[in-house]
Amino acid sequence: MTLAVVYATGIAGIICFQIALICGAPWGKITQGGRQDGPLGAAGRVSAGVSIFLRLVMGAGILSAAGYPPGWPNWTGWFATAISGISMILNWITPSAPERKIWAPVTTVMFALAMAVMLGSG
């Protein structure tokens, strides 16, 4: 299994998390800055939906960079890597300690995987 497939699998897990948020999972303290206790409100659920779309694009970009379908241009992999890096930084500096504890390591691994793929190791 290549690192791009591992990255895409991580993306799938994050998408499952976002779907659970949209469906009302009471995880507001571990997402979106931890400002919401319990389930997200309407705006938070819309944000989770936007995140799903963005994560799908990111997964496809990294898979494409590694030679898998959908065969998008290489810049889409760099776009995914940049968003992964921004996500990592935001999760390390979030005011939510529970969010930092869970998502900072996850997003760090995701960024490292994306970088490895883009630099030709994946």
Side-chain angles (χ1 to χ4, degrees):
M1 181 178 330
T2 69
L3 296 179
V5 173
V6 175
Y7 181 89
T9 302
I11 289 291
I14 293 169
I15 288 172
C16 288
F17 174 77
Q18 299 297 334
I19 290 170
L21 290 172
I22 291 168
C23 291
W27 301 331
K29 282 292 182 193
I30 60 170
T31 190
Q32 300 180 15
R35 293 179 301 274
Q36 181 74 39
D37 225 358
L40 297 177
R45 292 177 191 208
V46 168
S47 180
V50 170
S51 179
I52 290 170
F53 172 76
L54 181 60
R55 300 295 172 172
L56 286 169
V57 169
M58 291 168 65
I62 292 296
L63 286 170
S64 292
Y68 292 101
W72 290 353
N74 202 46
W75 68 263
T76 61
W78 285 113
F79 170 79
T81 303
I83 299 299
S84 289
I86 292 166
S87 179
M88 176 189 68
I89 292 166
L90 292 174
N91 278 290
W92 279 109
I93 65 171
T94 181
S96 169
E99 183 178 9
R100 209 171 32 251
K101 183 177 182 180
I102 294 168
W103 291 110
V106 169
T107 56
T108 299
V109 169
M110 296 297 288
F111 177 66
L113 289 167
M115 283 296 293
V117 169
M118 296 310 298
L119 295 175
S121 301

